[in-house]
Amino acid sequence: MRAVLQRVASASVVVDGEVVGAIDSPGLLVYLGVTHSDGDAEVAWMARKIRDLRILEEERSVGETGGPVLVVSQSTLYGDARKGRRPTWIAAAPGPVSEPLYEAVCDALAAAGTPVHKGVFGADMKVSSVNDGPFTVLLETP
């Protein structure tokens, strides 16, 4: 499982002209990608890391501040463009595998008390954000 975390002042996701997820206070915008071998252990690790990573102001985490998280599915995080001019998506898990794991990460964050907002899995989304810093971190499960 891979994630790109961005510290944001605000962020939103629009699908078909409608806002489907938004945060308007300091928190994290998370792009989340799933690969074929991911399972429950990766879900738990990623949710814990997103919640506890101290990248907000004054080296605090969303778990400490109660800050919101906007999670957007992003299968392209597993794109491989090392050869040729077109990326390959072989390492990205297909929707029937990745959607339940994406939802499980969101559910684990919510269960831990983190306010979670989401995009729409598999939709054509327009993501807007006001980056704070900017501050971006890449995560990958062990």
Side-chain angles (χ1 to χ4, degrees), residues 1-95:
M1 196 168 283
R2 289 180 180 161
V4 174
L5 278 63
Q6 293 182 322
R7 185 174 70 190
V8 296
S10 62
S12 64
V13 177
V14 174
V15 175
D16 294 329
E18 180 182 335
V19 175
V20 296
I23 59 175
D24 59 3
S25 59
L28 298 176
L29 171 58
V30 177
Y31 294 102
L32 183 68
V34 176
T35 194
H36 304 278
S37 60
D38 289 338
D40 294 340
E42 289 76 18
V43 166
W45 186 93
M46 187 61 74
R48 185 174 55 253
K49 198 67 149 171
I50 291 168
R51 183 177 182 275
D52 294 340
L53 200 61
R54 304 176 118 205
I55 60 174
L56 297 182
E57 292 285 329
E58 300 175 4
E59 294 187 6
R60 296 176 7 159
S61 68
V62 293
E64 293 169 313
T65 66
V69 176
L70 175 58
V71 185
V72 177
S73 63
Q74 184 81 39
S75 63
T76 60
L77 290 178
Y78 277 99
D80 184 352
R82 290 178 288 183
K83 293 183 180 180
R85 295 183 297 144
R86 288 190 193 130
T88 179
W89 311 109
I90 293 170

